[in-house]
Amino acid sequence: MTDQQTPPPVLVHVEGRAGHLVLNRPRALNSLTHPMVRTLAATLDAWARDPGIDTVVLSGAGERGLCAGGDIRAMHDDARDGDGTATEEFWRDEYRLNARIARFPKPYVALMDGIVMGGGVGVGAHGSVRVVTERSRVAMPETGIGFVPDVGGTFLLSRAPGELGMHLALTGDAVGAADALLCGLADHFVPARRLDALRADLASVPAAEAVRRHASAPEEGVLARARAWIDHCYAADTVEEIVRRLADSGERAAKEAAGTILAKSPTSVKVTLEAVRRARALGSLEAVLEQEYRVSCVALRRPDMVEGVRAQIVDKDRAPRWSPAALEAVDAQTVAGFFAPRGPGRELTFG
């Protein structure tokens, strides 16, 4: 229960034929907690059966973004001081919510304005109507905190054109509206100044028509012009070879990408490469989420996740000490261990 002085972390209200879910932790950039995930899931279940609701609209409170991800500080503390059970239970419910959103039987309009990262991608980019603005910055930045893209992120990135998804997965780079559209992370561009009018129309107008009224073309992105070197470099078999190709390509942006990858957790980037490639071969979002759950549970108990969150979020010294510190020290057996079955009762399954 929340008292009168503490607003609920998810605001739920109905305007006309539209049900609104507003992530309401603006000071924490609307990062997701377990109670928020439960509220979203329960409300979606109710609205799926409610004949008075035609459309669901997801947005974030405040001016900074939809959602910066899961509450990684809580995950860090659980990994460092607990047994990981609370985080595993959170992921189990969060990943099921991601699949629920993807299969929701009514239009699910995600207003992906501002920062949309990690878990924010999970609750936004699996929707059926995904709207970005000129302020959008969409990313799966997990390799920078010693983790691996999850919440169905490897599913989405594996299906981006060419090797664009692999580039975003390994570097953790954020993209703007045009590149989010190109990579299949969004469907429509609506200028931020028109979002209030769009919300008003969604109360009485079918979602597709309402979005068409306000959508336009975004400014040009950067990834379309970079396809040649991205597709060549990231098609290499190993992270080491990807980095070598990037460094030798003669393209400034490629060299910068090489440096970015080398600054990430060596274990995370190698596991991410394998996870995205395996995701390409899996037939459904649910199968990929099951794979991601295995990977996430292993990563939770590896030293790099605690260290990465410490460096980026807790101490903010931006100087993680990865273990091991070099790509060459991460062998194939270690990578394979992230994908090994966990045993009865310890897997994520979809009935």
Side-chain angles (χ1 to χ4, degrees):
M1 297 288 291
T2 57
D3 59 36
Q4 293 182 344
Q5 283 71 44
T6 304
V10 179
L11 303 177
V12 179
H13 65 278
V14 176
E15 296 179 10
R17 306 290 295 179
H20 287 261
L21 297 166
V22 183
L23 307 181
N24 189 40
R25 298 182 68 215
R27 294 181 63 183
L29 246 172
N30 301 318
S31 59
L32 295 171
T33 63
H34 204 163
M36 292 170 73
V37 166
R38 292 191 182 111
T39 297
L40 293 171
T43 307
L44 288 178
D45 284 347
W47 284 350
R49 301 186 299 268
D50 187 342
I53 300 295
D54 290 339
T55 303
V56 171
V57 185
L58 177 78
S59 61
E63 300 298 323
R64 298 168 64 195
L66 172 67
C67 175
D71 188 347
I72 58 174
R73 179 65 179 264
M75 298 176 200
H76 164 276
D77 294 348
D78 187 34
R80 185 191 61 187
D81 304 325
D83 63 2
T85 300
T87 299
E88 289 190 4
E89 291 176 352
F90 168 70
W91 284 332
R92 191 182 293 271
D93 287 344
E94 183 184 25
Y95 298 178
R96 284 177 173 156
L97 173 64
N98 302 146
R100 184 77 174 91
I101 290 168
R103 305 289 182 246
F104 196 68
K106 300 176 181 181
Y108 178 103
V109 181
L111 302 182
M112 298 168 60
D113 183 34
I115 292 174
V116 185
M117 296 184 178
V121 173
V123 294
H126 295 300
S128 55
V129 184
R130 304 165 300 174
V131 175
V132 285
T133 76
E134 71 277 8
R135 304 185 297 206
S136 296
R137 302 297 294 165
V138 184
M140 295 298 296
E142 286 77 9
T143 55
I145 58 166
F147 195 48
V148 179
D150 66 334
V151 297
T154 62
F155 177 86
L156 294 167
L157 295 174
S158 73
R159 284 150 175 81
E163 296 291 337
L164 293 178
M166 190 66 77
H167 170 65
L168 298 182
L170 296 186
T171 63
D173 284 354
V175 296
D179 290 329
L181 294 168
L182 173 64
C183 292
L185 301 173
D187 305 302
H188 307 280
F189 171 78
V190 173
R193 69 180 185 279
R194 299 189 66 88
L195 288 179
D196 286 344
L198 171 59
R199 288 188 184 93
D201 282 347
L202 287 167
S204 58
V205 176
E209 180 183 341
V211 171
R212 278 197 301 269
R213 288 181 180 181
H214 303 283
S216 58
E219 292 186 4
E220 185 180 9
V222 300
L223 291 182
R225 298 192 305 272
R227 277 290 302 276
W229 65 260
I230 286 176
D231 287 355
H232 169 69
C233 295
Y234 289 93
D237 290 337
T238 66
V239 177
E240 290 92 333
E241 177 61 15
I242 289 171
V243 169
R244 187 193 68 76
R245 290 187 184 185
L246 289 168
D248 293 345
S249 72
E251 295 282 348
R252 178 178 177 181
K255 292 182 179 180
E256 291 174 351
T260 296
I261 293 171
L262 289 173
K264 308 299 185 184
S265 158
T267 302
S268 292
V269 294
K270 284 202 168 182
V271 175
T272 296
L273 177 72
E274 181 70 10
V276 174
R277 288 184 173 165
R278 289 189 182 214
R280 287 174 180 164
L282 293 172
S284 68
L285 171 61
E286 287 82 358
V288 174
L289 287 165
E290 290 170 357
Q291 172 177 279
E292 289 179 347
Y293 186 74
R294 290 178 177 177
V295 171
S296 296
C297 290
V298 175
L300 181 66
R301 292 167 175 81
R302 297 279 302 188
D304 278 3
M305 183 172 173
V306 170
E307 174 61 12
V309 177
R310 179 207 65 77
Q312 299 296 332
I313 304 298
V314 181
D315 297 336
K316 299 182 180 179
D317 59 25
R318 307 294 192 267
R321 296 179 291 273
W322 304 123
S323 178
L327 288 169
E328 295 76 12
V330 183
D331 60 26
Q333 184 177 0
T334 297
V335 173
F338 280 76
F339 299 89
R342 304 188 71 229
R346 301 182 65 207
E347 301 275 14
L348 173 67
T349 58
F350 291 88

